Amino acid sequence: MISKQLANQIVEQTMLRLHRNINVMNTNGMILASGDQLRVESIHEGAKIVAESEKPLIINEQNMHLFPKTQPGINLPIFFQNELVGIVGITGDPNEIIEISTLVQLTTEMMVHQALIASQSEWKRKMRERLFEDLFNGEPLDKVMLERLSKVSFIPEPPFHLIIMKATPKQQAYQSFVEYLEDFYNHDSVLVGKVQSEEFFILTSEIDGEIVKKQLTSLINQIKKYAHVKVGVGQVVDQLSMIHLAYDTAKTAIEYSDSTEITTFFEKVEFYSLLKKKDSPEAKHFTNRIFKHLNLKLLHTLEEYLHCNQQLALAAEALNIHRHTLSYRLNQIYEQTGYNPVVFQDAVVLQIALWLFDPYKKKELSN
């Protein structure tokens, strides 16, 4: 049905262009909005007839006596998806306004369609986000939950892949980020929505993992032009009751991701998650103790050396330095940290310290 707010918008926009009095009535004949404020919330007898017949009604000087408290004009039914949702009336001599009446009807139906579709989309959006919140909080998958999932066209069949996406727009977009995700994942096996500010979820069901990866790659290639994006893909689960685990692991993937990578799968950083959190006092003390005497050059040398699996020649080439220079730097690292990068056990400690090292501390070293 047409709301009072929508009825007022229709009257305002239509009268602005036609300079004719417009009335918008509900299916009971009550005037919701009008250019004549005194008529609002009164019953329009002509509109009641239109509601019953679902056909236009012309009121003129000859039949006005049949419709008390009405004025000459044309009253037309307004449909949305073949259902009567209201009536629009144009006040004036029917002979003068007959040519514009169809245009007013069409314009009104377009405004109603746009508003109700937007309203339905917003309702579904809120329902999806509420469902995800319930799943994350471990609400039971009972009959009510299944009915709600059905209403948003989500088929709860395993496997379930959860993607958490942090997106900061680079520029003003013509549609919201959620709307963009809805347009991209427009089928029954995907649930999308907003978790919190600039954090969004994509939950897929019964879709093969390789397809999920392919779709995600395509999505990122499209949106990275318009937004700064960081993506974490959680552990695959076979039950909706385990969505909280998928969410936690997707967040962990983002937290421990490489700063140069957009997308990180939990499996790639699973080992890191077994360690203490980066921001814990113990982790900070550990990394500060080991790296407090290293400058940025030595820190970068260590990263590259370990990245090359302790292969001297490869690391020297990657750093564009002589092997003897690299050996000298590695010896400096040993002297200043107490851990020898060439020795496997010491290299493990140094690698863990690098994983936990606060990136802001690294920036301080470069200043």
Side-chain angles (χ1 to χ4, degrees):
M1 296 300 171
I2 298 176
S3 65
K4 286 182 68 69
Q5 181 182 7
L6 177 55
N8 280 315
Q9 290 175 1
I10 293 169
V11 168
E12 180 182 345
Q13 294 299 318
T14 309
M15 288 184 63
L16 186 66
R17 291 161 176 78
L18 297 181
H19 306 292
R20 297 274 185 175
N21 182 60
I22 300 293
N23 303 312
V24 176
M25 288 75 70
N26 64 18
T27 53
N28 294 321
M30 186 179 77
I31 299 176
L32 299 174
S34 172
D36 182 356
Q37 291 297 314
L38 295 176
R39 301 186 68 187
V40 176
E41 296 189 357
S42 65
I43 296 297
H44 192 293
E45 295 297 332
K48 290 172 64 177
I49 300 299
V50 175
E52 292 172 4
S53 67
E54 297 189 353
K55 295 180 180 180
L57 173 68
I58 296 176
I59 300 177
N60 51 33
E61 296 291 344
Q62 288 71 38
N63 64 0
M64 273 184 59
H65 64 283
L66 299 176
F67 310 101
K69 299 181 180 179
T70 61
Q71 299 178 17
I74 301 177
N75 301 280
L76 306 118
I78 301 303
F79 295 96
F80 173 71
Q81 297 180 345
N82 298 319
E83 180 182 352
L84 182 74
V85 294
I87 297 95
V88 61
I90 315 167
T91 304
D93 184 343
N95 294 321
E96 295 179 2
I97 61 177
I98 187 68
E99 292 185 359
I100 65 170
S101 62
T102 303
L103 178 61
V104 170
Q105 182 185 33
L106 178 61
T107 301
T108 303
E109 286 187 339
M110 288 176 63
M111 293 180 68
V112 168
H113 184 272
Q114 184 178 19
L116 294 184
I117 287 294
S119 178
Q120 287 182 355
S121 297
E122 184 61 26
W123 177 84
K124 283 189 174 181
R125 188 171 299 127
K126 290 181 179 178
M127 175 67 80
R128 286 193 295 265
E129 290 171 358
R130 175 64 186 274
L131 279 167
F132 181 76
E133 183 180 347
D134 288 345
L135 291 170
F136 171 70
N137 290 327
E139 294 293 329
L141 193 64
D142 54 17
K143 183 179 179 181
V144 175
M145 177 79 80
L146 290 172
E147 287 177 354
R148 289 162 62 195
L149 287 169
S150 176
K151 286 180 179 179
V152 296
S153 302
F154 183 75
I155 303 171
E157 293 292 335
F160 301 104
H161 293 82
L162 179 61
I163 300 163
I164 295 298
M165 184 174 291
K166 291 190 174 183
T168 306
K170 296 179 182 178
Q171 58 193 32
Q172 188 67 33
Y174 74 96
Q175 62 180 165
S176 73
F177 198 77
V178 172
E179 290 172 329
Y180 192 95
L181 293 178
E182 289 170 348
D183 289 344
F184 186 87
Y185 289 104
N186 187 23
H187 51 85
D188 295 347
S189 298
V190 182
L191 206 63
V192 302
K194 190 174 185 177
V195 182
Q196 55 189 359
S197 179
E198 298 184 350
E199 183 176 300
F200 306 86
F201 69 86
I202 302 166
L203 176 62
T204 72
S205 69
E206 62 174 3
I207 301 179
D208 180 75
E210 290 303 314
I211 296 176
V212 171
K213 291 179 182 179
K214 185 176 180 180
Q215 290 177 337
L216 181 58
T217 300
S218 176
L219 172 65
I220 291 172
N221 286 336
Q222 292 183 33
I223 63 178
K224 66 182 181 182
K225 304 172 186 175
Y226 312 106
H228 297 286
V229 183
K230 199 72 174 174
V231 179
V233 183
Q235 184 176 320
V236 181
V237 295
D238 292 326
Q239 299 177 26
L240 280 179
S241 60
M242 300 299 290
I243 290 300
H244 66 280
L245 173 62
Y247 178 75
D248 287 344
T249 51
K251 295 276 284 186
T252 298
I254 293 177
E255 180 182 358
Y256 286 91
S257 64
D258 189 301
S259 59
T260 61
E261 295 182 352
I262 293 178
T263 303
T264 304
F265 288 78
F266 172 69
E267 288 76 13
K268 185 173 182 180
V269 299
E270 186 172 10
F271 173 75
Y272 312 162
S273 69
L274 302 177
L275 307 173
K276 280 280 189 180
K277 295 294 184 181
K278 291 182 179 181
D279 56 355
S280 71
E282 296 90 342
K284 290 180 179 179
H285 179 268
F286 173 65
T287 56
N288 289 340
R289 177 178 64 80
I290 292 178
F291 295 140
K292 64 180 178 180
H293 297 303
L294 292 191
N295 57 32
L296 185 62
K297 180 175 68 177
L298 291 179
L299 191 67
H300 177 59
T301 299
L302 176 62
E303 286 180 311
E304 200 61 50
Y305 177 68
L306 295 178
H307 181 70
C308 292
N309 296 316
Q310 297 175 282
Q311 295 185 51
L312 200 68
L314 285 177
E317 183 179 353
L319 291 165
N320 196 28
I321 59 177
H322 194 276
R323 292 178 59 177
H324 295 317
T325 303
L326 176 56
S327 296
Y328 173 73
R329 290 185 187 179
L330 293 176
N331 190 54
Q332 282 188 301
I333 292 170
Y334 179 27
E335 291 177 355
Q336 295 182 24
T337 65
Y339 295 93
N340 189 348
V342 178
V343 177
F344 174 75
Q345 288 85 349
D346 287 2
V348 169
V349 176
L350 291 169
Q351 180 63 81
I352 292 173
L354 282 171
W355 285 333
L356 295 175
F357 194 47
D358 189 338
Y360 294 103
K361 287 286 186 181
K362 195 181 295 185
K363 286 183 179 179
E364 290 177 9
L365 290 174
S366 63
N367 296 330

